Amino acid sequence: MEEWEQYFLRNPAPQGFNASCDQLKKFCGQHAGHHPIALVTSGGTTVPLERNTVRFVDNFSAGTRGAASTEYFLAQGYAVIFLHREKSVVPFFRHLNPSFLLNSLQENSEGGLQLLPQHSSQVYPIWKNYQRIMSEERLLFLTFTSLSDYLWLLRATTQYLQQLAPSSLLYLAAAVSDFYIPQDQMAEHKIQSASGPLTVTLQLVPKMLSPLVSLWGPDLFVASFKLETDSEKLIEKATGALKRYKHKLVIGNLLQTRRTEVTLVAEEQSHVVKLTQLQQQEGVEIEKFIVEEVCGCHKKFT
Ligand code: 9Z3
């Protein structure tokens, strides 16, 4: 048996998995043939240390890339499955922080609430766009917390897309842990400090891009992200991933410069997307350009 198969045997499906599958099936069936469909994964996966989880290993990702990219895919006419870490950054909502919203409200003469006129112009376009997308049912929110939740939902989404809308796009921006503790090696209850210092051994997570590309979604257009912190390694690792998994695109980024520069690595060519100083000052988001490029490649492919 392959390592990835053992992983799914040893780690149970997340709570609510069947309900998520029903939503996925409906969403894919509804949009197939009407809108191009993109799966956007976003935010970091946790790795629990206990089955009744009090503590877990986490990573830095807030989900900004995935949330921003989702808005740009929607603007390009896509229906988007937004598979994201619970409580991470969410499209549309990311523009409105709760304290701004509370400070923007006032009571009207009927005792209801309304936005202060000076804030309306800021909130209105976001609200309008969000309402339109939701009325067209073009955005499906699915959440994960742990690595195992994420992998179960990733496999299910890929398989439904392959079955119902095989020309769809996968845009894998989630920051996925490479290490984990298998269920059968995990403490059941909260680890006690009375037992002394804690030594944890993490196992390697099987490389899931391999079955994803070759078995779960062989006809899908797959774009994955590669994250490094050492600029010397980035292109070599991104090119290596493309050769190894044989998917369509690897988007390489460095932790330190990820908001302003990425490199798109495809089989025939690689290409840097970089924001100018002026674009940075004007608050232009690099995801706008990444998504335009990815959509261009996806269109050529379909
Ligand atoms: C990325 O590289 C994303 O661009 C970021 C976005 C996580 C850097 P933020 O959430 O950051 O906007 O702050 N995602 C992929 C990371 C990853 O886990 N890649 C794996 C790897 O590098 C391959 S699938 O080995």
Side-chain angles (χ1 to χ4, degrees), residues 41-44 59-67 89 150 171-178 207 209 224-228 237 241 245 251-255 258-259 262 287 290:
T41 70
S42 184
N59 67 52
F60 72 96
S61 171
T64 309
R65 171 88 81 222
V89 180
Y150 169 78
Y171 181 87
L172 307 177
V176 183
S177 177
D178 280 329
K207 298 289 181 198
L209 260 183
S224 70
F225 279 79
K226 177 53 108 183
L227 175 70
E228 291 297 335
K237 295 296 280 290
Y245 304 116
I251 305 165
N253 57 172
L254 289 171
L255 181 70
R258 68 190 188 281
R259 300 273 171 257
V262 302
E287 286 76 12
I290 303 176

Side-chain angles (χ1 to χ4, degrees), residues 82-98:
F82 181 60
L83 175 57
H84 66 290
R85 162 80 177 271
E86 194 155 7
K87 302 201 185 97
S88 65
V89 180
V90 171
F92 305 110
F93 295 83
R94 73 190 176 109
H95 303 287
L96 308 165
N97 79 44

Side-chain angles (χ1 to χ4, degrees), residues 109-124:
S109 49
E110 285 98 49
L113 283 174
Q114 66 184 41
L115 273 180
L116 289 166
Q118 65 268 35
H119 293 309
S120 286
S121 60
Q122 194 183 335
V123 177
Y124 182 78

